[in-house]
Amino acid sequence: MTAPAGSGDLGAGPPITVDAGPVDVTHRLALAVRPLDARTAAPAPGVRVGREAPPPGGPVRPLESHGATGAVLRYGPGGVRARTVVLRLDDPARRLVPRRFRVPLWTPAELTGADDRPPTAGYVPAASRLLRPWLLPGVAYPVTNGLTGLRLRVTHRGRPVRWPRVTAFGSGGVPVGWAHGDEHGQVLLLVDGIGGLPHPAPSAFDVALRTAAPDQGQVPPVDPLDPLADLVVEDVPRSQAPPVPADLDNPLLRGTALPPGYRTGAGDVVRRLTVGRVLPETELPHT
């Protein structure tokens, strides 16, 4: 958005010259967030994207909607002023499991320096200000015919484990699926492939399930007014300018890398899957 020269906000940037003449820059992109459905790698509809007021866990302010592609955070009047933001992504319909991220931002000085004469900083492409996290299926994810998997409830000593993660290994120790659980320990695990088994695929096969969960000595207490307050905050490194492929797609963003503070269960549990079916919920102990 631009305005006549002389009316710009200090946090947005100095005037620039376009074909129509000098104009003030009244806002600049600080961050774009484009959540993806981990199963389809397509934009995830219906996901709320908010920024937590400091300290992390404070009131959540929704980011500006940017249509089906996600949300944006801007520098400028009414925009962000922090160097780092904590973002919360959640799906009210529970089709996708929530996630939280701490993201360092490019500063206004770094973004406006390319407009100086002479430039005092390099140009920062919009792709360097893009966060593209993957959200894994939740309990209400639409399960279509032909999918293979099972529903689980991860427990410890008979009680649900909050925010667990589960990895499935097929024959030969080949990973065939990942899943995130919710605050009730419920997990929808959908697998891809049959691991190292020879083709043609059998009608049923075994997988080894490995659980991971937050170390209870390192998580905040459960807040009855905010069910996401104890969900781990994952630290995202700032992208380079221009970004390299690993800045936009990596195990952390895909949700396959365990966050700090997660502890892997003492042993794997073997379960039998039926090809083309998502089996009903069963308990999975985390020891």
Side-chain angles (χ1 to χ4, degrees), residues 64-91:
E64 178 185 341
S65 175
H66 208 256
T69 60
V72 297
L73 188 61
R74 304 175 189 267
Y75 286 119
V80 66
R81 296 183 180 275
R83 295 287 300 271
T84 302
V85 293
V86 174
L87 301 177
R88 178 181 297 199
L89 291 78
D90 74 292
D91 177 9

Side-chain angles (χ1 to χ4, degrees), residues 25 27 168 221 261 287:
V25 178
H27 62 69
T287 55

Side-chain angles (χ1 to χ4, degrees), residues 182-204:
D182 62 18
E183 72 273 28
H184 305 295
Q186 294 177 309
V187 177
L188 172 60
L189 174 67
L190 301 175
V191 304
D192 296 301
I194 56 174
L197 291 174
H199 288 273
S203 60

Side-chain angles (χ1 to χ4, degrees), residues 122-162:
Y123 174 64
V124 181
S128 296
R129 293 169 267 168
L130 172 63
L131 177 69
R132 199 166 56 185
W134 298 48
L135 302 183
L136 279 81
V139 293
Y141 191 83
V143 175
T144 57
N145 292 333
L147 290 179
T148 301
L150 71 165
R151 297 182 183 274
L152 302 163
R153 188 170 73 106
V154 179
T155 61
H156 177 64
R157 297 178 180 174
R159 301 186 63 181
V161 172
R162 295 173 66 85

Side-chain angles (χ1 to χ4, degrees), residues 15-36:
I16 61 173
T17 300
V18 297
D19 291 342
V23 294
D24 280 341
V25 178
T26 60
H27 62 69
R28 286 185 184 272
L29 176 68
L31 183 69
V33 184
R34 187 178 301 164
L36 301 177

